[in-house]
Amino acid sequence: MTTEHYDVIIIGTGAGGGTLAHKLAPSGKRILLLERGGYLPREPENWDSREVFINDRYLSGEVWYDQDGDAFRPHQQYFVGGNTKFYGAVLFRLRERDFGEVRHYGGLSPAWPISYQDLEPYYAAAEQLYLVHGQAGEDPTEPPRSGPFPYPQVSHEPRIQQLSDDFEKTGHRPFHLPVGVDLNESDPEAGRCVRCDRFDGFPCLTDGKADAHVRCVRPALRHDNVTLVTHAKAERLVTDGRGRSVTEVVVDRRGARETYSGDIVVVSCGAVNSAALLLKSANDQHPNGLANASDVVGRHYMAHINSGVIAISQTPNPTKFQKTLGINDYYWGAADSELPLGHIQMLGKSDRNILRGGAPWFAPGLALDYIAKHAIDFWITTEDLPHPANRVTVDRRGRIHLAKTYHNLEPHQRLLAKLKELMGGLGCHDAAIPAWSILDQRIPLAGVAHQSGTVRFGDDPKTSALNVDCRAHDVDNLYVVDTSFFPSSSAVNPALTAMANALRVGDHLLERLGAHVTAASRAASDGRLQEVDR
Ligand SMILES: Cc1cc2nc3c(=O)[nH]c(=O)nc-3n(C[C@H](O)[C@H](O)[C@H](O)COP(=O)(O)OP(=O)(O)OC[C@H]3O[C@@H](n4cnc5c(N)ncnc54)[C@H](O)[C@@H]3O)c2cc1C
Ligand code: SF4
């Protein structure tokens, strides 16, 4: 068996890996992308809520185990583009203060080894790459920006505009969510998005959602020096005798063993799978798992404390594209709370199947159609804190175990109470079902959409697995660029930070490889790709 050699191997094609591939593609270096999934089929079922939410058509079907050893099916999907194929594309920058130490009800959120200013230019570039639409200056917690959003905000539909006006009347500062979407409201012919109600949790049939496959992997593959191998699950990383460098990536490709080697190996499998891969790669030089002299690999698993909240309004809600409004007035606290509570945003519009998919949330017999027609759907997020006992481990049979106890629940309860109070004041009751005027459900362990933190970066090799460049402290040619590098989770959605960081690490790798991507070659490449893309 021969081992193919590349300059760079990137394992995983989601927000981190896909973005890095796009950054490195014009360098001319030989780049290999390994992806355990295939291409997500484009089919009518992409937009069928029964298929997506009840029949779990696109879930991996794999089984993980909780801290009591009970099996559960994680909401994981493995396709080219990773979880961004399904994401809501709300693309936030972390707040400036999120990069420092922050005190919460449940303990301390640690500081990052880089500042907001270090990442700002990369946030700007990632917003450009992922077509982020927004309106600077509205969000009261927005960090300083070097320029406006690359595209204008996505407008509210009438019911959401009314909600926004109502929030303003109560002294809140609602803002347009930053959304990554190929939409041009002044010229509908110019964008792929048809502004439908299948956005959050569904793949997009028209390629209108700015996901890592459409925006990064597909254009990267138009470069002859970039290769993608699908259905290639990285099983193990092998090192040289001293354990200082990865020499081989061992892959299971539809049951067959293949090996690849690269001068640089970048792991970007998502926070749970990246930790699992490093742990499974233990050897004599790395007995606790690869790059794990610190014993932090797998630890500090964070997932955000999230709840879906349905407010049932007296007025019907015919909104299609609902993910346009956010509230950050409670992000850092409230009149009755010195400590942070979190973030509120709209969810994609629910229908009866989406609501039923949330069972046992709903008692049987409730009029789901009625509720769906009147529902205004929210998603609330509180910062999850990194705790060493919350961790990914792998057993002797290679099975993934996920231990998780939440330590910051009080602010989440307070935030929920704030939203309920607000919605009650805005006429969101219904005489026929008074007890159900506001329904909420915490996202369970299986909801791993916002996973992060398991291979944290930092200055100190004793307390972090990666250095500031996201290179393993212990292994010279090994990098990690998915959300596992996060030392803290903030309370805003994670993907843009993974994308921006991948661009930052990309600059470091280009320098290390002695590769030059001049502004001109990047612009020429991007121009050519956009032409082909449309
Ligand atoms: C329904 C949903 C809605 C979301 N909405 C938002 C949102 O609005 N805004 C936001 O910021 N975030 C959102 N997220 C989260 C966002 O999608 C993730 O934060 C982001 O995709 C993480 O990027 P990543 O690179 O860490 O991992 P992923 O994007 O998950 O990429 C990991 C990749 O690695 C591959 N892989 C895994 N293991 C292996 C292996 N052993 N070998 C080879 N390949 C492997 C996977 O198939 C995948 O392609 C949402 C997620 C979901 C599921
Ligand atoms: S709203 Fe636009 S981007 Fe989202 S799924 Fe519909 S067409 Fe695609």
Side-chain angles (χ1 to χ4, degrees):
M1 186 174 54
T2 56
T3 297
E4 287 178 44
H5 189 79
Y6 292 83
D7 295 311
V8 182
I9 297 179
I10 301 172
I11 309 172
T13 58
T19 308
L20 180 64
H22 184 271
K23 173 90 183 187
L24 300 184
S27 69
K29 295 289 173 186
R30 290 193 71 210
I31 296 158
L32 172 67
L33 285 166
L34 293 171
E35 168 54 53
R36 76 185 279 174
Y39 283 102
L40 191 133
R42 289 186 76 194
E43 52 188 9
E45 288 83 353
N46 285 180
W47 280 353
D48 181 335
S49 56
R50 172 176 288 278
E51 281 302 313
V52 174
F53 287 94
I54 296 181
N55 296 341
D56 293 341
R57 186 177 184 89
Y58 302 112
L59 291 191
S60 68
E62 68 183 327
V63 172
W64 295 353
Y65 297 85
D66 69 14
Q67 55 210 14
D68 300 320
D70 292 332
F72 67 95
R73 288 184 187 278
H75 286 245
Q76 279 279 113
Q77 28 249 327
Y78 299 126
F79 293 101
V80 175
N83 274 314
T84 67
K85 289 307 289 180
F86 296 84
Y87 76 167
V90 166
L91 293 175
F92 270 111
R93 300 173 176 211
L94 262 58
R95 319 291 84 177
E96 196 169 9
R97 274 172 63 191
D98 284 324
F99 288 80
E101 192 175 89
V102 180
R103 197 157 61 87
H104 287 265
Y105 286 92
L108 281 183
S109 166
W112 288 42
I114 57 172
S115 68
Y116 171 76
Q117 282 69 26
D118 293 327
L119 210 49
E120 200 284 334
Y122 298 104
Y123 273 133
E127 285 177 344
Q128 192 79 45
L129 186 55
Y130 282 91
L131 307 176
V132 180
H133 292 58
Q135 177 60 53
E138 290 181 338
D139 175 351
T141 65
E142 182 180 60
R145 308 174 54 88
S146 52
F149 280 95
Y151 298 91
Q153 75 272 22
V154 180
S155 64
H156 300 313
E157 289 178 39
R159 183 67 186 93
I160 304 305
Q161 184 60 53
Q162 187 194 331
L163 186 66
S164 174
D165 296 344
D166 288 344
F167 280 144
E168 267 186 25
K169 280 184 206 140
T170 57
H172 292 80
R173 287 159 294 174
F175 60 92
H176 288 86
L177 286 173
V179 193
V181 65
D182 188 359
L183 177 70
N184 185 335
E185 294 194 74
S186 55
D187 178 7
E189 291 287 312
R192 289 177 172 137
C193 170
V194 297
R195 210 179 159 128
C196 71
D197 60 357
R198 311 276 89 174
F199 195 51
D200 212 359
F202 295 90
C204 177
L205 249 179
T206 70
D207 284 350
K209 174 160 33 191
D211 64 45
H213 161 223
V214 172
R215 294 302 304 166
C216 288
V217 177
R218 186 186 287 162
L221 286 173
R222 298 210 175 98
H223 290 262
D224 297 339
N225 54 306
V226 181
T227 306
L228 166 67
V229 180
T230 57
H231 302 288
K233 182 183 178 204
E235 286 289 351
R236 190 177 170 79
L237 305 179
V238 178
T239 66
D240 62 6
R242 289 168 54 236
R244 288 299 302 163
S245 113
V246 176
T247 51
E248 239 177 35
V249 180
V250 180
V251 163
D252 176 347
R253 183 130 184 253
R254 297 186 189 272
R257 184 180 187 272
E258 294 181 354
T259 57
Y260 299 88
S261 68
D263 292 340
I264 285 169
V265 175
V266 183
V267 173
S268 193
C269 304
V272 172
N273 278 298
S274 284
L277 178 60
L278 297 182
L279 293 171
K280 280 200 282 184
S281 303
N283 60 23
D284 288 347
Q285 287 69 39
H286 298 271
N288 294 327
L290 195 56
N292 195 20
S294 59
D295 190 32
V296 300
V297 172
R299 295 187 186 274
H300 309 109
Y301 168 75
M302 297 174 283
H304 277 154
I305 305 173
N306 288 313
S307 290
V309 180
I310 305 274
I312 301 157
S313 161
Q314 286 166 337
T315 341
N317 176 14
T319 307
K320 290 194 166 187
F321 191 96
Q322 188 172 246
K323 232 169 157 52
T324 57
L325 184 139
I327 300 274
N328 269 339
D329 295 278
Y330 305 112
Y331 196 90
W332 294 119
D336 56 359
S337 173
E338 277 184 1
L339 299 179
L341 301 186
H343 162 67
I344 300 172
Q345 68 181 240
M346 307 307 298
L347 262 176
K349 186 69 198 80
S350 58
D351 67 13
R352 70 188 332 262
N353 291 323
I354 296 173
L355 295 181
R356 179 164 294 140
W361 185 359
F362 287 96
L366 276 179
L368 291 184
D369 270 333
Y370 176 88
I371 293 177
K373 280 196 185 111
H374 289 250
I376 303 177
D377 315 79
F378 294 92
W379 175 257
I380 70 169
T381 304
T382 297
E383 178 155 354
D384 186 17
L385 299 173
H387 195 281
N390 288 333
R391 65 187 296 204
V392 178
T393 49
V394 177
D395 66 22
R396 277 199 209 142
R397 290 164 60 187
R399 300 179 309 181
I400 290 177
H401 294 247
L402 190 56
K404 180 75 190 164
T405 304
Y406 287 96
H407 295 277
N408 200 28
L409 288 173
E410 177 170 350
H412 197 65
Q413 294 310 330
R414 287 176 176 246
L415 185 61
L416 191 55
K418 292 273 179 230
L419 181 61
K420 287 184 175 181
E421 203 181 293
L422 254 172
M423 297 312 295
L426 298 182
C428 285
H429 321 272
D430 191 296
I433 43 172
W436 292 88
S437 57
I438 304 225
L439 310 170
D440 62 271
Q441 186 193 36
R442 273 265 314 286
I443 303 304
L445 181 69
V448 292
H450 287 195
Q451 58 188 279
S452 67
T454 53
V455 195
R456 50 166 42 183
F457 78 155
D459 293 317
D460 184 353
K462 291 199 188 70
T463 56
S464 58
L466 308 173
N467 72 10
V468 169
D469 297 323
C470 288
R471 181 179 67 78
H473 288 297
D474 313 340
V475 183
D476 182 54
N477 66 342
L478 175 64
Y479 291 78
V480 181
V481 296
D482 53 41
T483 54
S484 47
F485 80 95
F486 286 28
S488 69
S489 68
S490 83
V492 290
N493 311 52
L496 190 74
T497 299
M499 294 158 177
N501 183 62
L503 296 178
R504 185 184 70 91
V505 173
D507 264 348
H508 161 82
L509 289 178
L510 288 172
E511 201 179 316
R512 174 169 172 165
L513 289 161
H516 296 290
V517 178
T518 59
S521 73
R522 163 70 68 191
S525 158
D526 282 354
R528 178 171 63 85
L529 295 170
Q530 272 164 22
E531 239 167 64
V532 185
D533 238 10
R534 287 270 177 200

